[in-house]
Amino acid sequence: MLRRPTTDRNADLFARLSHNTGEKPRDMSAYLAVEELDGVMEINLAGDWVFANLNELQQSLDEIEPGDRRLVRFQCGGLKDFDLAGAWILYERSMDFEEVGIETAFENFRATHFKFLQHIIDLAAQKEYIPGFFDPKPHHYWRSGIRAIGANTIEAVDSVGFIARAVLDGIKRPSRLVIGETIRQVHATGAAAIPIVSTICFLMGIVLAYQSARQLEQFGANIFMVDLVANAILRELGVLLAAIMVAGRSGSAFAAALGTMKLTEEVDALRVMGLNPNQVLIIPRVLGLVIALPMLTVFANAAGLLGGAFIGAAVLDINGFAFTERLATTISVNDVLVGLSKAPVFAFLIAVTGTLRGMQVKGSAEELGRLTTVAVVQSIFLIIVADAIFTVVYSRIGF
Amino acid sequence: METRQEPVISIRGLVNRFGRQVVHDHLDLDVRRDEILGVVGGSGAGKSVLLRSILGLHGPNEGTINVLGHDIRHHEPGPHRKWGVLFQGGALLSGLTVQENVELPIALHSNLPVETRRELAVLKIFMVGLDLNAASKYPNELSGGMRKRASLARALALEPKLLFLDEPTAGLDPISATEFDELVSYLHANLDLTIVMITHDVDTLFSICDRVAVLVNKGIIVDTLEEIVKHPDPWIQEYFGDPRAVRARTAARHRLSSRREAE
C-alpha cells in the first residue's frame, strides 16, 4: 500500500547522510552483509541493486532482523550498479524500520548512486494516499443486478431509436451517394457469397435426401424424398442457411468496418463534412443486404434442390426427369414465396445488428472485437427467432 | 571507465531498399553513452526506417546493427529489457488502464509480487508527472500530452539504459511540448539514460540534444549543433536557415547566456 512519509522525516534522512568509512563486513548474501557494533547495525550493500535482482534484494532485506537496536546504517560504498527500483526497495525497507522506531541512515553513497535515492525520496514526498485506489471495490449483487437491467433497457430503447432514425434518414432524404455504395454492398455481400452459400446448400440437399431416403425405403416410398427435400429447402433451409452464412460473413464485416471507422474518427469526419453517417454508412449496407439476400436465397434453393436430385439419380433410382415431374406436382409457387419472403426480414436484422454494434464501438480495440462477436451472435439469434415466428404465423394462415 | 568509450548503438554499412528506391546507402552511425541524439531529416529520408531497423522491426537489406553489445536481427528479440520505446501515437494498449499498461512489462519480465509491481508502476507514473487519478484512466480518456507521458512511463518501466523517442513533441501545444522537453532532459540527467529521438521540433533540438544526426543523400551526418549548422549541404542549410530554426537557436543562446550569468 502507498505510504505517506512526512516531509520532515525526509529532511531528517538527508541530514543523516554523511560520509563515513565502515569496517570489514560479515557476508550474509551477495547483496548485503550485516555487522553489529554496540547497539548499531551496519549493513554493507554490495553488487547490482537493479530491477533484474529485485526478488533477491527483497529477500535479503527481509532477512534483516534489527531486534532492539536503535540505529541501522546502510553503507552504500560497495554498490556496483543501482537504479530506481533498487533505490525504492532500499528506501521502503528503511521506512519499515523508521515505523517501528529504529533510526536509519545512508552513508558513503557515490554521487551517481545517490541521485536515485534522492529521486525516490522526492517522489515519496509527492505521493498522496488515495483511499480505495488499490482496494478492491465492494460488490453489491442486488444493486449491480438492478443497474444492469436498467442499463440494458436503456440500451434496447436506444437501439430501436437508432434504427428508426437511420431508416427515417434514408426515406426522407435519399442521397445520390447511396446508390453507388448500395450496389457495391450488393456485390460484396451477395454476389461474392454465391459460391460458398451454394456449396453449403448443395451439401444440405445431399444430407436431407440421404436421411429421408433411409426412412422412406422401408415403405418403398422413395419418391416422397422429393417432397421432403423440396419442402425443407424451399420453405426453411435455403433461406436460413443463406442468412446464417451472411450473418457470419457480412454482419461481422459491417461491425468491424464501422467500428474501425469510429475508432479512427472517420465517422466524425463524415459528420463534420455535413454527411449523415446514417445515410452514407448504414442505409447502403441495410439496403444492399435487403436486395442481396433474396437473390442469394434463389441460388441457395437451386443448389439445395440440385443436391437432392444428385443423390436421387446416383443412389435412389430417381432420375432427373422423375425428380422434376414430382417437384412440379408437389410444390406450388407459394412454397417458394414462403422462403423468399423471409429473406428481406433476415437481411434487415443482420444489417441493422451489424451496423448498430459497429457504431457502438468506443475507445478501444478490445471493444471492437467484443462488439463484432456480439453482432454475429445476436443476428443469428434474431434470425432463428424471426424464423420461428414466421413458421407459426404462416401455418396459422395456411400460407 | 572503458565502457564509456564503447558506443551504445553502432551501425555499420546499413542498406535499406524498397524496390528500386534506396533509402539508406551504407550508413554508419555510433551513438555514445549518456548522450541525447536528435535525428532529423526530410519526409521520406528514412528516419522511421532507421528506427525500425534498430529496433529489429524491419529487416535491412545489408549491414549490421549492434545495440548494447547485442546484434539486432529482424524478428528476433532484442535487448528489450534494456531499452524503452515511446512510439509516436503512444501505442498504449487501449483495453488497459495507464496503471496496467505500465505494470504490463514489469509483470512480463519478472515474478515480483503484485504489490511490488504496483508500487514500481506508480513510481514511474509519478516520475513522468502524472498522478493516481490519471493512472486509473484508460488511454482514450487522456489528453495527447498525458498519453505521451503515460507511454513514457511504460517505456521506463524496466529501468532501461536506452530510450527511443519517436516524435515525442509532435501534436503537442508549445507549452506541453516545452514541458515534455524538460521532462526528457530531467530523466536524462537523473536516470543515466542514452536517448535517441526522432524529432521535427527545432526547439527540442536546440534545447536538449547533445548531438544531431541529419539524414541526407541516403547517408547520415552526425555532429554537434554548432558544427552542423555550418555544414554546406543544401537541405541542412535550408532546414537550419528557416526562420523558426533561427528563432529557436537564438532562444537557446539566450537561455545559455542567462544561465551563465545566474551562475
Side-chain angles (χ1 to χ4, degrees):
Chain A
M1 289 302 111
L2 286 178
R3 207 175 284 125
R4 182 168 41 183
T6 52
T7 31
D8 52 51
R9 192 157 64 171
N10 292 322
D12 226 30
L13 196 72
F14 276 118
R16 276 183 275 115
L17 289 159
S18 61
H19 289 265
N20 239 332
T21 43
E23 280 165 63
K24 275 278 151 211
R26 178 166 54 89
D27 258 23
M28 243 177 76
S29 82
Y31 301 107
L32 55 87
V34 178
E35 192 181 355
E36 282 148 48
L37 306 166
D38 47 333
V40 179
M41 192 172 216
E42 291 249 337
I43 298 170
N44 293 285
L45 307 181
D48 293 339
W49 280 62
V50 292
F51 176 76
N53 303 333
L54 217 51
N55 268 338
E56 291 88 338
L57 292 174
Q58 180 79 71
Q59 233 166 27
S60 309
L61 283 172
D62 286 346
E63 277 167 18
I64 300 173
E65 281 297 337
D68 56 352
R69 280 164 210 86
R70 284 181 31 254
L71 178 63
V72 173
R73 255 202 305 255
F74 292 97
Q75 296 290 349
C76 311
L79 279 178
K80 276 219 286 286
D81 208 355
F82 201 42
D83 66 11
L84 271 181
W88 171 73
I89 209 162
L90 192 58
Y91 176 77
E92 285 287 293
R93 191 68 179 132
S94 78
M95 284 296 122
D96 288 346
F97 291 152
E98 298 262 330
E99 245 163 43
V100 293
I102 302 167
E103 284 191 60
T104 55
F106 297 95
E107 290 178 354
N108 280 327
F109 255 118
R110 274 192 236 143
T112 49
H113 289 157
F114 175 60
K115 70 183 179 194
F116 288 111
L117 188 69
Q118 187 174 14
H119 213 100
I120 296 291
I121 295 165
D122 292 350
L123 285 173
Q126 291 175 20
K127 258 194 217 177
E128 291 240 347
Y129 181 74
I130 298 183
F133 179 70
F134 285 133
D135 309 332
K137 305 218 162 36
H139 197 62
H140 303 286
Y141 288 98
W142 281 106
R143 224 182 280 175
S144 59
I146 291 166
R147 203 171 284 157
I149 292 171
N152 285 333
T153 311
I154 290 173
E155 200 204 286
V157 172
D158 194 51
S159 304
V160 172
F162 173 87
I163 296 160
R165 183 70 194 271
V167 172
L168 210 68
D169 277 345
I171 298 166
K172 221 165 53 183
R173 284 176 293 150
S175 142
R176 268 179 300 125
L177 280 170
V178 168
I179 297 165
E181 182 62 17
T182 304
I183 292 169
R184 224 174 57 77
Q185 291 297 339
V186 170
H187 177 263
T189 59
I194 289 173
I196 183 69
V197 168
S198 304
T199 312
I200 284 182
C201 283
F202 182 77
L203 293 174
M204 190 46 78
I206 287 178
V207 170
L208 277 176
Y210 242 127
Q211 295 289 2
S212 54
R214 269 183 50 192
Q215 306 301 322
L216 294 168
E217 235 172 7
Q218 300 169 15
F219 314 105
N222 269 355
I223 193 70
F224 289 110
M225 175 276 278
V226 182
D227 299 41
L228 234 154
V229 171
N231 268 302
I233 292 282
L234 294 179
R235 294 185 74 105
E236 290 288 341
L237 288 176
V239 63
L240 205 59
L241 283 176
I244 288 173
M245 205 61 212
V246 163
R249 269 183 98 252
S250 308
S252 60
F254 290 173
L258 295 195
T260 312
M261 289 179 87
K262 275 282 290 231
L263 288 181
T264 53
E265 295 184 318
E266 282 172 61
V267 175
D268 297 340
L270 287 173
R271 203 164 267 149
V272 295
M273 282 189 285
L275 294 168
N276 186 337
N278 284 350
Q279 285 240 314
V280 228
L281 298 175
I282 295 173
I283 292 301
R285 286 183 166 79
V286 175
L287 211 55
L289 204 57
V290 168
I291 295 169
L293 193 58
M295 299 206 267
L296 208 54
T297 306
V298 174
F299 280 90
N301 288 347
L305 292 179
L306 210 63
F310 173 71
I311 286 300
V315 187
L316 302 175
D317 285 340
I318 303 167
N319 61 22
F321 185 72
F323 190 92
T324 37
E325 206 180 32
R326 182 69 203 162
L327 202 61
T329 55
T330 186
I331 293 297
S332 70
V333 88
N334 268 4
D335 293 316
V336 182
L337 287 181
V338 164
L340 284 181
S341 66
K342 297 173 185 172
V345 178
F346 291 174
F348 184 78
L349 292 175
I350 297 167
V352 158
T353 314
T355 48
L356 172 68
R357 294 300 167 208
M359 292 301 266
Q360 283 173 342
V361 172
K362 265 198 294 271
S364 77
E366 230 155 278
E367 186 85 351
L368 175 64
R370 192 180 67 79
L371 283 168
T372 308
T373 314
V374 168
V376 175
V377 173
Q378 279 190 346
S379 49
I380 291 177
F381 174 76
L382 287 175
I383 288 167
I384 306 282
V385 169
D387 193 46
I389 295 171
F390 267 120
T391 307
V392 170
V393 171
Y394 281 167
S395 65
R396 276 292 163 94
I397 63 174
F399 188 38
Chain B
M1 270 190 275
E2 71 283 352
T3 49
R4 292 226 166 249
Q5 314 303 328
E6 261 174 51
V8 176
I9 302 175
S10 116
I11 301 173
R12 290 288 172 272
L14 184 74
V15 177
N16 271 311
R17 275 186 300 263
F18 292 101
R20 288 166 68 193
Q21 185 201 359
V22 180
V23 180
H24 301 132
D25 187 14
H26 293 94
L27 177 148
D28 295 342
L29 174 67
D30 281 333
V31 179
R32 297 175 192 154
R33 197 167 289 271
D34 288 344
E35 74 172 344
I36 301 185
L37 179 76
V39 180
V40 293
S43 350
K47 300 182 296 289
S48 299
V49 180
L50 179 66
L51 181 66
R52 290 177 63 83
S53 301
I54 296 174
L55 294 173
L57 297 172
H58 173 82
N61 297 75
E62 280 174 44
T64 58
I65 300 170
N66 189 295
V67 179
L68 297 160
H70 194 290
D71 277 326
I72 301 296
R73 287 197 187 79
H74 185 33
H75 279 325
E76 278 180 32
H80 52 263
R81 298 190 65 152
K82 295 189 207 151
W83 71 22
V85 187
L86 170 63
F87 286 97
Q88 196 173 344
L92 291 165
L93 301 183
S94 52
L96 303 178
T97 62
V98 170
Q99 162 85 27
E100 288 161 344
N101 260 292
V102 180
E103 249 184 75
L104 184 71
I106 302 175
L108 284 177
H109 291 293
S110 72
N111 51 355
L112 296 170
V114 184
E115 289 77 30
T116 315
R117 255 180 8 221
R118 279 181 179 163
E119 287 275 7
L120 281 175
V122 168
L123 203 67
K124 296 289 149 46
I125 289 166
F126 275 120
M127 205 162 58
V128 296
L130 296 175
D131 53 18
L132 284 180
N133 196 14
S136 59
K137 283 186 174 160
Y138 285 91
N140 61 326
E141 297 167 336
L142 298 177
S143 70
M146 285 163 94
R147 220 174 294 164
K148 295 234 169 179
R149 280 170 190 264
S151 184
L152 189 58
R154 187 180 65 175
L156 293 171
L158 294 178
E159 308 278 348
K161 296 281 167 225
L162 178 57
L163 192 61
F164 295 96
L165 309 176
D166 190 359
E167 305 254 12
T169 53
L172 298 186
D173 65 89
I175 298 170
S176 314
T178 310
E179 280 171 2
F180 202 85
D181 283 349
E182 279 164 7
L183 174 65
V184 169
S185 76
Y186 167 76
L187 294 174
H188 174 252
N190 283 285
L191 297 183
D192 294 341
L193 284 169
T194 308
I195 299 177
V196 177
M197 67 160 107
I198 292 177
T199 184
H200 270 302
D201 193 332
V202 278
D203 288 312
T204 308
L205 275 184
F206 280 101
S207 56
I208 64 173
C209 290
D210 299 316
R211 290 198 305 162
V212 177
V214 189
L215 284 159
V216 278
N217 297 329
K218 295 160 191 159
I220 196 162
I221 299 163
V222 192
D223 217 327
T224 58
L225 263 169
E226 284 81 48
E227 294 302 315
I228 215 143
V229 292
K230 295 177 198 150
H231 197 277
D233 182 272
W235 191 85
I236 295 178
Q237 282 308 315
E238 200 182 331
Y239 186 86
F240 289 106
D242 186 83
R244 292 159 61 90
V246 173
R247 263 204 307 279
R249 205 174 146 196
T250 21
R253 264 205 211 118
H254 275 302
R255 262 201 303 274
L256 203 67
S257 56
S258 59
R259 204 178 302 155
R260 277 201 197 114
E261 272 168 31
E263 280 164 12

